[in-house]
Amino acid sequence: MATAGSEYVVQRLDGVRRANLAVVSRTIDRLRIASQTAISDETGLANGAAANLLAELRRIGLVEDTEIAATGARGRPRRAVRLASRFALAVGVEVSVEAVAISVRGTDGVELANSYARQERRPDSLPAAVLDVLAEYAKLLGTTGLPPLAASLVIALPGVVASPHLRVPPFGWTDVLIPDLVRTAPPPVRRLSFLNDGDAAVIAEAALRPEVECVAAIHGSDGIGGGVSLNGRLFSGAGGAAGQFGHVVVETSGRPCHCGNQGCLCQYISTTAFAEDLREGATLSALGHRRYATDLATRARRGDSAALNLLERAKARLGQAVDVLGAVLSPETVVLTGNLAVLAPWLASPPSSRTPAQEYRAEWSRPVEGSALGQDSVVSGAAVAARAAILDDPLSFTTT
């Protein structure tokens, strides 16, 4: 008969095994194709332990056998493994003020399907929005013929995530309990979680720069958000509120902001602010924020003086905020994402050519660049986070 002590030992051993499976899964993902010897060398696990863990991953279907070509002119190829594509689905979702975007990726990280649906009417509540997302995901599976495999689904939205609470001030959704939302997920969705959209954006950007210690993303939607990644890990701060770069004050006693301050960056650099400055509210309403940013970039490219003057002023304001980021965080790079990405040719800047010996403030001068992902950093980052959840606990996505 099991005792309380023996049950604790079993639970502890199960936790250790799950942790080791995650280490091996992550190692295979990083190496892409890995032999047992390489896994043992990379993780420090004994060959026998590595063999047992690999056997478990083969059994559940997370990995599949392949070969590594032998070095030299002779010799048989060595046995190796790689991640299987159809073990589970990693689903990233972006809920913005105007649309729902979905990216479905295989366990190996390759995108299998995507969709972008403009929303003419905002859901009345966050639970209703989650149901809409699940319906869009089911429709995408149906139209693409993808099987309803076990899935990890991450929803990124312009809210503050501080588990177990979630607030989305732009939509008027306050103090929603995450566990209540998770219970609405259908059985194939084994894990449903939520991210701030700026945090999702920086996750995507950090994944493209694994060697960079600190990455900051300034994200543009209707307003301005952002996120920080330190050593490949998201830095959320107290209460999940880190990275709100749109509320860096760049003008003392400037334009009033909904946060209660005056002169916040988002009041000068955002599609909302741009349309207000150009008196193009009707154009913004007709195009939506995403297409309006693209249209503004097109006009600037054609030499439109009003657009170019606007973006010149915006770059100066952005430089003020980046100086603050440089002094506080000193990120190796600041990436413009979302609707700012398409405007990066006019907002980006190289690092200062001056040295700290010439000017002390050059110490925190940071380069600003546009995202290689264009306006899709958020949905991409949500998919990256969803896939990470699969690799961190693959047993949760099995039926055995």
Side-chain angles (χ1 to χ4, degrees):
M1 184 175 182
T3 65
S6 65
E7 289 175 2
Y8 169 75
V9 170
V10 170
Q11 291 172 358
R12 181 173 175 274
L13 290 175
D14 180 63
V16 171
R17 186 166 184 79
R18 284 176 179 260
N20 284 336
L21 287 171
V23 169
V24 173
S25 301
R26 288 281 194 171
T27 301
I28 296 169
D29 180 47
R30 181 166 51 82
L31 298 177
R32 300 302 179 191
I33 296 177
S35 66
Q36 181 180 307
T37 300
I39 292 170
S40 182
D41 290 343
E42 290 285 327
T43 62
L45 290 166
N47 265 317
N52 287 335
L53 292 165
L54 270 178
E56 179 75 355
L57 295 178
R58 282 192 186 94
R59 183 187 69 79
I60 65 175
L62 179 69
V63 301
E64 59 188 17
D65 290 326
T66 186
E67 293 180 338
I68 301 177
T71 57
R74 296 183 179 181
R76 299 176 61 183
R78 290 182 295 159
R79 288 187 63 195
V81 295
R82 62 187 174 194
L83 294 178
S85 176
R86 302 299 178 93
F87 168 72
L89 298 178
V91 186
V93 180
E94 177 186 6
V95 176
S96 68
V97 294
E98 61 190 4
V100 172
I102 301 177
S103 174
V104 181
R105 301 188 181 187
T107 317
D108 57 359
V110 176
E111 187 174 68
L112 304 174
N114 64 72
S115 67
Y116 182 87
R118 183 89 180 265
Q119 304 295 297
E120 300 300 331
R121 181 187 62 82
R122 184 177 300 163
D124 296 329
S125 65
L126 187 47
V130 172
L131 291 176
D132 286 350
V133 164
L134 294 171
E136 286 291 333
Y137 172 54
K139 184 166 73 173
L140 181 59
L141 291 182
T143 56
T144 58
L146 284 173
L149 299 174
S152 169
L153 194 150
V154 173
I155 299 176
L157 67 181
V160 179
V161 182
S163 187
H165 299 279
L166 175 59
R167 294 184 291 109
V168 189
F171 298 166
W173 301 337
T174 59
D175 202 25
V176 181
L177 288 173
I178 293 175
D180 291 343
L181 299 174
V182 171
R183 282 190 282 271
T184 65
V189 178
R190 301 293 175 80
R191 189 176 188 275
L192 172 62
S193 55
F194 300 85
L195 270 177
N196 168 265
D197 55 1
D199 286 345
V202 82
I203 286 173
E205 300 302 331
L208 295 177
R209 303 166 177 81
E211 75 290 347
V212 175
E213 180 181 17
C214 181
V215 179
I218 299 180
H219 179 67
S221 56
D222 61 318
I224 296 294
V228 180
S229 173
L230 297 174
N231 295 309
R233 298 180 65 88
L234 180 65
F235 176 73
S236 298
Q244 295 299 314
F245 303 136
H247 297 290
V248 173
V249 175
V250 295
E251 179 66 37
T252 304
S253 301
R255 299 174 182 175
C257 181
H258 62 83
C259 74
N261 285 330
Q262 290 179 277
C264 291
L265 180 67
C266 62
Q267 298 303 317
Y268 302 92
I269 303 179
S270 65
T271 47
T272 301
F274 292 155
E276 183 176 337
D277 285 349
L278 294 174
R279 298 179 181 176
E280 294 180 343
T283 303
L284 177 62
S285 296
L287 295 178
H289 294 274
R290 186 180 178 102
R291 290 170 57 197
Y292 180 78
T294 302
D295 179 71
L296 188 59
T298 299
R299 283 185 275 164
R301 199 171 292 111
R302 291 173 177 169
D304 181 89
S305 59
L308 289 172
N309 290 336
L310 174 79
L311 293 173
E312 184 178 358
R313 295 193 299 272
K315 183 175 181 177
R317 294 296 191 187
L318 179 63
Q320 292 177 260
V322 171
D323 280 349
V324 174
L325 294 185
V328 175
L329 292 173
S330 192
E332 273 115 316
T333 187
V334 177
V335 188
L336 302 179
T337 68
N339 294 330
L340 293 180
V342 295
L343 299 170
W346 301 273
L347 300 177
S349 59
S352 173
S353 59
R354 298 180 65 80
T355 66
Q358 295 170 316
E359 185 179 1
Y360 180 69
R361 69 187 293 272
E363 185 75 46
W364 55 78
S365 174
R366 300 291 90 196
V368 179
E369 60 183 289
S371 172
L373 297 169
Q375 292 168 289
D376 296 325
S377 291
V378 170
V379 68
S380 178
V384 170
R387 195 169 80 92
I390 297 171
L391 299 181
D392 284 343
D393 191 9
L395 292 181
S396 294
F397 295 85
T398 66
T399 56
T400 57

